Amino acid sequence: MPAILSIGDAFPPFVLQQEEIMHFSKRLFSESFQDIERLLHVFPHGQVQKRYFVKDLDWYQQDHTFVEKNNAFIKSAIELGSEAITNCLHNDTFLKRQIACEEIDAIFLITSTGIATPSIEARIMNILPFSEKTKRIPLWGLGCAGGAAGLSRAFEYCKAYPEAKVLVLAIELCSLTFQRHDHSKSNLIGTSLFGDGVVCVLVAGDEVETETICSLASIPKILATQSTTMRNSLDVMGWEVKNDGLYVVFSKDIPAIVEKWLKPIVGQFLREHHLTIESMDHFIAHPGGKKVLDAYVKALQLEPSMVDSSFHVLKNYGNISSATVLLVLKAFLQKASANEWGLCTSLGPGFSSELLLIRWE
């Protein structure tokens, strides 16, 4: 049962309140939508209060080429990625001692908001003192499901190599994909929701002496994972690639899909381990948006308080694509107790679901 030992994060310097972004969007979209006042209700109703961005608001009011936006992604991804790794490996809250970069056997790099070859983790390895033998596993295009998927792949790696310590590094700079000339409702909703940030998770295999490393009273262990992809659902979520960059695809049917499609998947996954949703002490849900979290509560018949941590992350950071569920997980590292169960879940392009069963020991 691979263990989650530490989580560190890093955020860009510009913090914008939701009201500022709403007024910006009103100016931008007012000519495109006759009912702009009604549509702007998504900003206060979404329960996002503030978000972090790599650029100030003036930057988004100007035209930028795909090259300019992607170069900005690479620069900020390297800086924030290095900071998040350091914050994870030198975390006094979760670790008894600092973990050296040379101790890391593999890095799983998760992103969907920028393109780089060599990939970002290779560039970071020229800044931080990782071993030249560190394995690199970049995963691109998983979107909001990427954080949970990265944990799942790290789990499998540590099952195969139980002496390993690995990092899951989720880097999402969603604001750099903003298209000021895309006057679609999907873009308006995305403008009300997405933010920037980086989260890094340290995962260790069974043969690592976790008690000598981790200072948590109860250490979360990953017991099982499941990936599920819905057939013929490519248009639910993702990017449309055009000459000037990435255009968001964001179906209004996502909450309905959560209600109808996810419940049997979750039920079957838990039954395979002789558990039920009522057995879960903690529900670690990616906050895709208020309607998505409400759909989780309705579909799985959860107590509303089960998604309080997800709502807290949504309120203070917005949706940071793959990184967001890892922020929610971070909130549970100290509050959970021994012998408690957790279910971690994210949804993303494909359309796909990622589930992880976690137990604190």
Side-chain angles (χ1 to χ4, degrees):
M1 294 184 294
I4 298 165
L5 302 185
S6 179
I7 299 180
D9 50 42
F11 298 96
F14 298 101
V15 185
L16 294 177
Q17 301 299 316
Q18 188 75 328
E19 188 174 357
E20 296 177 78
I21 306 170
M22 183 178 71
H23 292 315
F24 165 80
S25 300
K26 183 177 181 179
R27 294 193 300 270
L28 186 67
F29 292 105
S30 58
E31 294 182 3
S32 302
F33 299 107
Q34 293 181 344
D35 55 347
I36 186 65
E37 294 294 342
R38 181 182 65 84
L39 293 173
L40 287 174
H41 288 170
V42 299
F43 284 84
H45 290 173
Q47 295 197 5
V48 178
Q49 289 191 4
K50 66 178 181 181
R51 284 173 279 163
Y52 292 80
F53 294 112
V54 295
K55 302 290 185 180
D56 63 23
L57 199 55
D58 289 342
W59 189 89
Y60 301 98
Q61 299 185 60
Q62 303 168 16
D63 288 331
H64 301 280
T65 65
F66 193 6
V67 171
E68 288 176 312
K69 289 184 281 191
N70 200 66
N71 284 341
F73 170 84
I74 292 172
K75 181 178 183 296
S76 292
I78 294 169
E79 293 172 355
L80 293 170
S82 300
E83 182 181 348
I85 289 172
T86 301
N87 290 341
C88 177
L89 298 183
H90 299 177
N91 197 310
D92 293 337
T93 302
F94 302 134
L95 298 174
K96 293 179 179 178
R97 67 169 178 86
Q98 294 184 358
I99 304 297
C101 291
E102 293 88 346
E103 296 182 58
I104 300 303
D105 297 278
I107 304 173
F108 292 79
L109 185 280
I110 316 296
T111 191
S112 295
T113 49
I115 300 168
T117 303
S119 46
I120 298 299
E121 82 288 347
R123 298 165 191 252
I124 290 174
M125 286 173 65
N126 283 282
I127 297 173
L128 299 179
F130 285 95
S131 165
E132 294 177 353
K133 305 298 183 183
T134 303
K135 296 180 178 66
R136 298 165 41 217
I137 305 101
L139 302 175
W140 197 91
L142 293 167
C144 292
L151 282 179
S152 296
R153 304 296 81 80
F155 161 80
E156 292 158 359
Y157 185 96
C158 289
K159 291 282 282 185
Y161 301 98
E163 75 289 350
K165 302 183 193 78
V166 307
L167 296 180
V168 177
L169 180 64
I171 299 176
E172 301 290 10
L173 308 180
C174 304
S175 74
L176 294 177
T177 70
F178 175 68
Q179 299 289 347
R180 64 186 299 266
H181 297 296
D182 177 9
H183 294 168
S184 67
K185 289 186 178 178
S186 287
N187 193 37
L188 179 63
I189 293 170
T191 304
S192 75
L193 186 59
F194 290 105
D196 300 343
V198 179
V199 183
C200 182
V201 184
L202 173 63
V203 181
D206 281 350
E207 293 182 13
V208 175
E209 295 182 358
T210 55
E211 291 78 8
T212 66
I213 296 174
C214 186
S215 60
L216 292 169
S218 300
I219 298 176
K221 303 288 186 72
I222 304 172
L223 274 68
T225 69
Q226 178 176 285
S227 303
T228 308
T229 301
M230 177 190 291
R231 296 188 186 279
N232 303 315
S233 61
L234 301 179
D235 59 347
V236 172
M237 184 187 295
W239 295 124
E240 185 179 357
V241 182
K242 299 185 180 182
N243 288 337
D244 49 352
L246 306 172
Y247 283 66
V248 66
V249 176
F250 205 58
S251 172
K252 61 180 174 56
D253 297 327
I254 293 172
I257 293 172
V258 173
E259 288 188 32
K260 297 178 181 178
W261 180 68
L262 189 64
K263 182 177 181 179
I265 291 172
V266 170
Q268 180 185 0
F269 175 62
L270 293 177
R271 282 194 298 273
E272 289 174 359
H273 302 281
H274 310 290
L275 296 165
T276 64
I277 193 66
E278 291 77 19
S279 308
M280 298 298 104
D281 300 286
H282 307 292
F283 189 66
I284 307 156
H286 172 85
K290 179 183 183 300
K291 289 185 177 180
V292 174
L293 291 175
D294 289 343
Y296 275 127
V297 170
K298 182 178 179 181
L300 301 177
Q301 298 177 309
L302 301 171
E303 289 293 328
S305 61
M306 294 286 280
V307 293
D308 280 353
S309 292
S310 296
F311 267 119
H312 178 78
V313 168
L314 183 67
K315 173 183 174 181
N316 290 287
Y317 303 95
N319 183 343
I320 318 175
S321 192
S322 68
T324 330
V325 74
L326 304 180
L327 279 181
V328 179
L329 176 62
K330 182 183 178 185
F332 284 95
L333 287 196
Q334 288 183 295
K335 71 167 62 175
S337 301
N339 301 317
E340 290 183 338
W341 293 93
L343 179 67
C344 180
T345 175
S346 288
L347 299 166
F351 184 70
S352 60
S353 159
E354 291 287 341
L355 298 172
L356 296 98
L357 181 62
I358 297 174
R359 183 174 172 83
W360 274 261
E361 297 187 351

